[in-house]
């Protein structure tokens, strides 16, 4: 199997590469400037020169706040580029793996979201990601994984931002009514590869087990890392947020767990693994 990855060096792409290396799988992961998914010429070039059996698209426009202003770019990366990738994957009989988000939901449910629940995104980021996943799902030989609160060895995640906030503040406020599932990239990578191995297709929610508020996640992380800052729980409404965000978007991972015959680790167990790795090598997060 030959795997072409878009979205390197994003945090998920890095974890998938580590898993491909562990499994001795041939891959190519060009950086953003060499493989821009909004550049049709670069897509065609990568496909014809590398001849992948699988494309894993980790590239995305991920800034929920900026997407409202930067609408055209968010739509180009999360939807229009994906539309072209789907067409080329179909023409060349390549399997396409793509990632979406819990932000396709509006947060009005009070139990875990399942794949058959109707999406209703509240913001432009969620709308652009939903349009992208629908494109991918129109192609039979594809896999779409909806992820939530992705945390890996990189900067585009809540724990990296939280670590920055507390370096110059002894007291920090964190929302306790924003609830989802912290999801670690090393777990996602492992189950993505298992899904390819099993020949799965279709839509799956892929997150760690359990659920948490941002406050619980920050508190557990601070405790394990030995940070002594005071963390105060507040409602999200206490912050001036420029964009509508859903409050409850925790998803069930039952469909993928059943399909793979696995029990996906609880987020707290993976948080411990993550923190231990960081304690051993702080450069991992830089
Ligand atoms: N992060 C989360 O909390 C979260 C939550 C739910 C779902 N997801 C989904 O999970 C997937 C992986 O995200 P992640 O957390 O790994 O994000 P990430 O760390 O921000 O990585 C995204 C990567 O995509 C690259 N990229 C942006 N536009 C591109 C383009 N036009 N062509 C090629 N590469 C481009 C970025 O490069 P630059 O830095 O150079 O722009 C970055 O390296 C995405 O589909 C995302 O929507 C993420």
């Amino acid at each position: 199997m030959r795997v072409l990855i878009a979205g390197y060096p994003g945090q998920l792409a890095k974890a998938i590469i580590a898993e491909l290396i562990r499994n001795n799988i041939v891959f190519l992961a060009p950086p953003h400037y060499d493989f821009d998914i909004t550049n049709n010429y670069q897509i065609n070039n990568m496909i014809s020169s590398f001849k992948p059996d699988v494309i894993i698209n980790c590239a995305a426009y991920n800034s929920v706040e900026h997407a409202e202003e930067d609408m055209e770019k968010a739509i180009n990366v999360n939807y229009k580029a994906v539309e072209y990738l789907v067409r080329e994957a179909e023409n060349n009989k390549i399997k396409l793996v793509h990632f979406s988000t819990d932000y396709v939901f509006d947060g009005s449910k009070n139990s875990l979201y399942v794949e058959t629940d109707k999406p209703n995104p509240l913001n432009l980021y969620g709308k652009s990601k939903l349009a992208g996943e629908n494109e991918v799902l129109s192609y039979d030989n594809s896999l779409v994984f909806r992820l939530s609160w992705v945390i890996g060895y990189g900067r585009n995640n809540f724990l990296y931002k939280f670590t920055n906030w507390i370096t110059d503040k002894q007291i920090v406020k964190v929302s306790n009514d924003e609830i989802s599932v912290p999801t670690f990239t090393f777990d996602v990578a492992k189950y993505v590869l298992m899904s390819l191995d099993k020949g799965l297709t279709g839509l799956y929610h892929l997150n760690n087990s359990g659920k948490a508020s941002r406050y619980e996640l920050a508190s557990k992380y601070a405790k394990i890392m030995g940070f002594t800052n005071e963390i105060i729980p507040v409602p999200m409404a206490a912050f001036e947020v420029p964009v509508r965000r859903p409050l409850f978007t925790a998803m069930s991972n039952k469909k993928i767990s059943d399909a793979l015959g696995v029990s996906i680790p609880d987020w707290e167990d993976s948080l411990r693994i993550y923190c231990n790795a960081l304690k051993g090598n702080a450069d991992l997060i830089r």
Side-chain angles (χ1 to χ4, degrees):
M1 176 166 75
R2 295 168 69 79
V3 180
L4 176 62
I5 299 172
Y8 176 77
Q11 55 177 352
L12 180 59
K14 285 197 277 184
I16 288 176
I17 289 169
E19 196 63 26
L20 291 169
I21 292 171
R22 245 192 303 282
N23 287 277
N24 285 319
I25 296 172
V26 178
F27 70 89
L28 182 70
H32 184 167
Y33 55 84
D34 274 343
F35 186 20
D36 182 334
I37 62 163
T38 63
N39 182 326
N40 296 353
Y41 171 79
Q42 286 186 348
I43 291 181
N44 292 345
N45 219 10
M46 286 297 163
I47 291 178
S48 59
S49 60
F50 183 66
K51 301 192 178 6
D53 306 298
V54 179
I55 296 175
I56 302 183
N57 179 29
C58 301
Y61 184 101
N62 272 334
S63 172
V64 178
E65 278 77 26
H66 294 123
E68 306 290 318
E69 307 269 295
D70 208 0
M71 200 181 289
E72 200 181 329
K73 191 166 177 200
I75 290 171
N76 278 343
V77 179
N78 292 345
Y79 169 50
K80 291 203 172 143
V82 175
E83 191 180 28
Y84 190 77
L85 262 183
V86 171
R87 191 163 359 126
E88 289 310 298
E90 206 160 9
N91 288 343
N92 293 282
K93 300 189 170 44
I94 298 167
K95 182 153 192 168
L96 181 60
V97 179
H98 182 75
F99 300 94
S100 187
T101 169
D102 54 335
Y103 270 31
V104 298
F105 296 117
D106 61 14
S108 60
K109 205 178 169 187
N110 47 23
S111 58
L112 298 180
Y113 278 99
V114 293
E115 288 79 352
T116 47
D117 284 327
K118 199 171 180 297
N120 181 31
L122 296 182
N123 52 46
L124 195 117
Y125 165 75
K127 285 177 189 162
S128 67
K129 292 295 288 183
L130 179 61
E133 68 170 45
N134 283 335
E135 276 306 316
V136 179
L137 289 168
S138 71
Y139 172 40
D140 290 346
N141 194 15
S142 73
L143 262 171
V144 173
F145 296 104
R146 287 191 187 133
L147 314 179
S148 60
W149 291 7
V150 177
I151 299 164
Y153 302 113
R155 295 177 172 209
N156 195 15
N157 67 69
F158 172 71
L159 292 185
Y160 178 83
K161 288 174 194 155
F162 174 77
T163 310
N164 276 348
W165 297 336
I166 62 173
T167 47
D168 53 4
K169 280 194 204 122
Q170 182 49 33
I171 302 174
V172 277
K173 292 179 186 162
V174 180
S175 69
N176 63 350
D177 56 354
E178 207 184 338
I179 293 165
S180 193
V181 190
T183 295
F184 290 83
T185 52
F186 46 84
D187 291 319
V188 173
K190 179 173 154 191
Y191 298 117
V192 166
L193 255 67
M194 282 177 78
S195 304
L196 283 172
D197 206 38
K198 276 222 161 192
L200 299 186
T201 55
L203 173 69
Y204 295 89
H205 290 173
L206 175 51
N207 43 240
N208 281 94
S209 297
K211 60 179 169 12
S213 66
R214 295 258 186 215
Y215 169 74
E216 277 174 272
L217 171 60
S219 303
K220 294 235 156 86
Y221 169 70
K223 189 166 176 210
I224 301 172
M225 295 302 285
F227 300 137
T228 54
N229 309 60
E230 188 180 350
I231 305 166
I232 301 176
V234 293
M236 188 161 64
F239 301 103
E240 259 184 50
V241 273
V243 182
R244 282 184 78 199
R245 282 174 178 266
L247 283 179
F248 180 93
T249 53
M251 302 184 293
S252 163
N253 59 27
K254 186 173 185 313
K255 184 179 173 193
I256 188 73
S257 307
D258 288 351
L260 297 177
V262 297
S263 169
I264 298 181
D266 198 90
W267 68 268
E268 290 188 54
D269 294 329
S270 293
L271 175 67
R272 270 186 284 276
I273 294 170
Y274 178 77
C275 292
N276 286 338
L278 279 190
K279 282 179 182 171
N281 179 7
D283 282 344
L284 279 175
I285 206 166
R286 286 186 226 294

